[in-house]
Amino acid sequence: MLKKSLLFKIFPTIYNKPSNISLFIGQGCNSMCPTCDFWKYEKQVLPKKVIFKFVDEITSWLGPMNFFLISIGEPLMNKDIFDIVKYIHTKKGRISISTNGLLLDKKTVDRLVESGVSNIQISINGITSKVHDSSRGVPGNLGKIFEAVSYIKEKYSHVSVNFATIILKQNLNEIVPLIKYTHSVKSNISFQPLAPTFDYGHSPDIKKELWPNDIKKVESVFKKIKKYQGSGYDISTSPSHFQTFLKYFKNPKLNHREHCNIGYYNLILDKTGDVKLCDHYPPLGSIKDNSIKKLWYSKSAQEQRKRMQNCPVRCPPLTCYLKPNLVDFIRIFQIRGKRIFFNRLGILKRH
């Protein structure tokens, strides 16, 4: 049996099976972001037959699921992306894809939607080209994002568009304008703090030139964000998350959580075909010679979940393990309805 945390005891039907499914379909990036080193790494693609095997096992075990297609870099660089999306769609899965927007032209959008994509998450770090493009290392990136969003909203109203933003020293003045923009195009925005590019052999150092060290300014921006949240703007990062972000920016060396339940609902297929509960922990095994269900209930998985309850890894406060409090749940329910409310409980993949 799984280690029964309090949440698992209260919601056993939620936490005895994975609900967040992430597919790292490859490695390689066409951005040159100063926040990470992924673009410096050699391109690597996970064979689609391995991905198909994973999808087959997941849907056979759990039924139609939400699949989040990501990459160590840019997933649209994988030439098999449309075949992968189409295959998941045939299994009645809901597909979200994360992208930097550089390859998101009209033809690509058309093919993605025709293949079955229902949600596109776009990384955006500023409302001006000066801030956003410098954070991505590629001139013209922001313009392509605006063009793609306009096209999607005009032609494919059933496809949702979400935005993801990293909080940096350089974009503090553009956070509020970003929120206003995403609201104007009827989209959701989420935030993460600047963090080390951990794992995959990357340096744990945080880029000092990007660090938002003006705490008073950070506090001021977060207060403004809270007002917009209270006014019904669709910001999925909860007020309690921002409180934790502030503590992190004041002292990044602190451990900002007491325990972690990610091992009870998160499942990752990485770029080599290995299956993980968390990127900070060793693989449970490879999909190439193991069944997903066997790995999920394995002794190794149980040991990792137990260790996560008092995890020695000093994570930055990422929303993969931070959970909103009761007040946040009420706000989420009011703004986005039952679906997003239950997403925060871990039943469905957040989009």
Side-chain angles (χ1 to χ4, degrees):
M1 293 294 291
L2 295 175
K3 170 71 177 179
K4 293 186 176 180
S5 66
L6 177 59
L7 283 174
F8 181 66
K9 291 177 181 178
I10 297 174
F11 303 111
T13 59
I14 298 175
Y15 283 100
N16 64 356
K17 294 178 181 179
S19 59
N20 287 2
I21 312 296
S22 297
L23 301 180
F24 282 84
I25 61 175
Q27 174 178 283
C29 195
N30 52 355
S31 285
M32 294 183 286
C33 305
T35 53
C36 82
D37 299 322
F38 293 156
W39 53 276
K40 298 178 182 179
Y41 283 57
E42 185 178 351
K43 184 179 179 181
Q44 181 178 345
V45 174
L46 183 62
K48 62 182 179 181
K49 65 179 182 179
V50 176
I51 297 173
F52 291 172
K53 180 179 186 294
F54 179 84
V55 172
D56 286 342
E57 290 195 22
I58 286 291
T59 53
S60 176
W61 174 28
L62 303 173
M65 289 292 293
N66 296 318
F67 292 86
F68 191 40
L69 302 185
I70 49 181
S71 176
I72 302 174
E74 173 54 44
L76 291 179
M77 291 180 67
N78 187 325
K79 63 181 178 62
D80 295 324
I81 184 68
F82 305 109
D83 291 338
I84 295 169
V85 171
K86 190 175 295 185
Y87 190 80
I88 295 174
H89 187 61
T90 63
K91 299 293 181 176
K92 299 182 179 179
R94 188 171 189 270
I95 308 109
S96 294
I97 186 167
S98 175
T99 176
N100 58 28
L102 283 170
L103 300 176
L104 205 60
D105 55 22
K106 292 181 179 180
K107 182 179 179 180
T108 300
V109 169
D110 290 340
R111 291 191 67 186
L112 285 173
V113 177
E114 290 167 4
S115 300
V117 160
S118 52
N119 175 270
I120 299 174
Q121 178 176 289
I122 302 175
S123 299
I124 187 168
N125 287 338
I127 199 66
T128 64
S129 296
K130 179 180 179 180
V131 172
H132 175 80
D133 291 354
S134 63
S135 78
R136 293 291 161 183
V138 180
N141 190 178
L142 186 64
K144 291 183 178 181
I145 290 174
F146 288 158
E147 289 177 8
V149 172
S150 296
Y151 182 68
I152 295 167
K153 292 295 180 178
E154 178 183 345
K155 189 172 181 179
Y156 302 109
S157 59
H158 65 286
V159 176
S160 59
V161 177
N162 295 345
F163 295 93
T165 300
I166 300 174
I167 301 171
L168 309 167
K169 175 182 180 179
Q170 288 77 3
N171 69 0
L172 286 177
N173 289 332
E174 302 204 355
I175 296 295
V176 169
L178 267 176
I179 291 172
K180 291 180 178 179
Y181 165 71
T182 58
H183 184 70
S184 72
V185 294
K186 297 180 173 59
S187 295
N188 160 265
I189 187 169
S190 63
F191 294 91
Q192 295 279 18
L194 176 65
T197 49
F198 51 79
D199 209 351
Y200 309 112
H202 289 53
S203 168
D205 295 330
I206 300 176
K207 310 285 187 177
K208 293 181 179 179
E209 66 275 14
L210 304 175
W211 187 257
N213 47 15
D214 188 340
I215 299 301
K216 287 186 178 180
K217 190 171 185 177
V218 173
E219 287 181 311
S220 175
V221 171
F222 285 3
K223 286 179 181 178
K224 292 177 183 177
I225 293 174
K226 189 174 182 179
K227 289 182 179 179
Y228 281 101
Q229 288 178 314
S231 300
Y233 282 65
D234 198 353
I235 305 168
S236 62
T237 310
S238 71
S240 61
H241 288 169
F242 283 110
Q243 291 174 12
T244 305
F245 293 173
L246 185 60
K247 293 177 183 177
Y248 168 68
F249 285 138
K250 288 179 179 179
N251 189 349
K253 295 183 178 181
L254 288 178
N255 191 335
H256 297 277
R257 69 177 186 320
E258 296 177 356
H259 62 275
C260 183
N261 288 312
I262 195 172
Y264 291 106
Y265 56 83
N266 196 55
L267 190 62
I268 299 168
L269 180 68
D270 79 3
K271 61 185 174 63
T272 64
D274 284 336
V275 177
K276 297 179 178 180
L277 300 178
C278 171
D279 275 325
H280 284 299
Y281 281 75
L284 301 176
S286 174
I287 181 62
K288 297 173 184 177
D289 46 26
N290 290 281
S291 76
I292 296 295
K293 192 172 182 179
K294 181 179 178 181
L295 293 174
W296 180 259
Y297 291 111
S298 66
K299 182 179 179 181
S300 176
Q302 293 183 51
E303 290 174 348
Q304 287 191 18
R305 293 185 184 101
K306 183 177 180 180
R307 190 179 181 209
M308 288 174 187
Q309 293 305 299
N310 293 285
C311 186
V313 180
R314 195 180 75 240
C315 288
L318 303 177
T319 53
C320 59
Y321 67 80
L322 290 176
K323 293 296 174 183
N325 57 32
L326 182 59
V327 174
D328 296 332
F329 282 137
I330 295 173
R331 180 190 64 82
I332 291 165
F333 184 78
Q334 290 174 333
I335 296 174
R336 307 192 72 187
K338 293 182 179 180
R339 178 179 177 80
I340 305 302
F341 175 79
F342 286 122
N343 282 356
R344 293 304 184 275
L345 287 176
I347 296 177
L348 298 174
K349 177 72 185 179
R350 177 169 59 83
H351 293 283

